[in-house]
Amino acid sequence: MLLLGAVLLLLLALPSHGQENIEAPEVLPIPKGACAGWMAGIPGHPGHNGTPGRDGRDGTPGEKGEKGDPGFAGPKGDTGETGVTGVEGPRGFPGIPGRKGEPGESAYVYRSAFSVGLETRVTIPNIPIRFTKIFYNQQNHYDGTTGKFYCNIPGLYYFSYHITVYLKDVKVSLYKKDKAVLFTYDQFQDKNVDQASGSVLLYLEKGDQVWLQVYGDGENNGVYADNVHDSTFTGFLLYHDIE
């Protein structure tokens, strides 16, 4: 029976006279090792997915992308510890001079001065000579009623006197605090008018007094003045005591 079926299949495969251009159906080859009565079965169901394969190799790096936008500023950090002082650098070049400043206030100037003259002849020795002709006494530190200069500003002072000598010899002394510190003597020449003078630097404290007087008895009282002859006494502050 099997052999008969195979012959029928061959006959059907031969072309007929009226159907020369009809293609014969494809005959599937019989698998090797199959039995003579083999027939194809129904297709089975798809199998289960296999185990995932291993990761492939890394790909080639791509091109560098565009720069992104700046991120938000983070919170301010804690102040760090002070670093070690570095080595002093080389001295720089002098800078450009600044603009001239505004004029400052004038410093206070200490003033004390006097210049006085004699109006009449002196007749009383051993007391201060009262010079009543005032040339300068703006600060009123000289007292014409006593003939004394009163120190109001401590410091160094300059004193001088110029005496006209007439009729008698002259011996005058400059006093400071009841003590004679300078003497001047001039001998009168008969019928001549002479001049005697002296000067000194003295440091005075506030309250000190300075004056001029005839020294000794009346025999040395030739201090003279008239409308054409003067006897003068002058003093002024050189610089005040900053202490």
Side-chain angles (χ1 to χ4, degrees), residues 155-231:
L156 185 66
Y157 287 80
Y158 173 79
F159 294 96
S160 66
Y161 52 87
H162 300 274
I163 302 300
T164 297
V165 181
Y166 186 60
L167 299 178
K168 290 184 179 181
D169 297 342
V170 164
K171 188 175 184 181
V172 295
S173 55
L174 184 74
Y175 278 76
K176 171 190 172 184
K177 297 173 58 176
D178 296 324
K179 182 179 180 180
V181 295
L182 183 66
F183 295 92
T184 298
Y185 176 77
D186 186 82
Q187 187 175 15
F188 172 67
Q189 302 294 328
D190 189 24
K191 297 181 181 180
N192 289 325
V193 177
D194 204 358
Q195 298 287 330
S197 62
S199 61
V200 67
L201 287 174
L202 294 177
Y203 177 81
L204 301 182
E205 296 180 353
K206 187 174 182 179
D208 287 348
Q209 302 174 16
V210 178
W211 68 90
L212 196 67
Q213 73 180 39
V214 174
Y215 189 83
D217 55 28
E219 295 299 324
N220 296 317
N221 189 14
V223 179
Y224 183 80
D226 58 21
N227 59 341
V228 293
H229 298 91
D230 286 305
S231 293

Side-chain angles (χ1 to χ4, degrees), residues 72-143:
F72 295 103
K76 184 178 180 180
D78 297 332
T79 303
E81 298 180 358
T82 304
V84 180
T85 303
V87 180
E88 183 178 357
R91 184 173 182 178
F93 295 103
I96 301 174
R99 294 183 300 175
K100 185 177 181 180
E102 299 292 334
E105 296 182 359
S106 299
Y108 181 77
V109 178
Y110 293 88
R111 293 183 175 90
S112 180
F114 73 95
S115 183
V116 293
L118 191 66
E119 291 184 307
T120 59
R121 180 185 175 188
V122 176
T123 58
I124 304 175
N126 296 318
I127 62 171
I129 300 174
R130 293 175 60 245
F131 293 87
T132 57
K133 183 186 292 186
I134 306 300
F135 299 114
Y136 179 86
N137 191 29
Q138 186 172 354
Q139 294 80 36
N140 292 318
H141 294 169
Y142 172 81
D143 186 355

Side-chain angles (χ1 to χ4, degrees), residues 20-49:
E20 294 178 355
N21 296 328
I22 298 175
E23 295 181 357
E26 182 180 359
V27 179
L28 299 175
I30 299 174
K32 294 181 179 181
C35 61
W38 174 85
M39 293 184 69
I42 301 172
H45 297 288
H48 298 288
N49 294 332

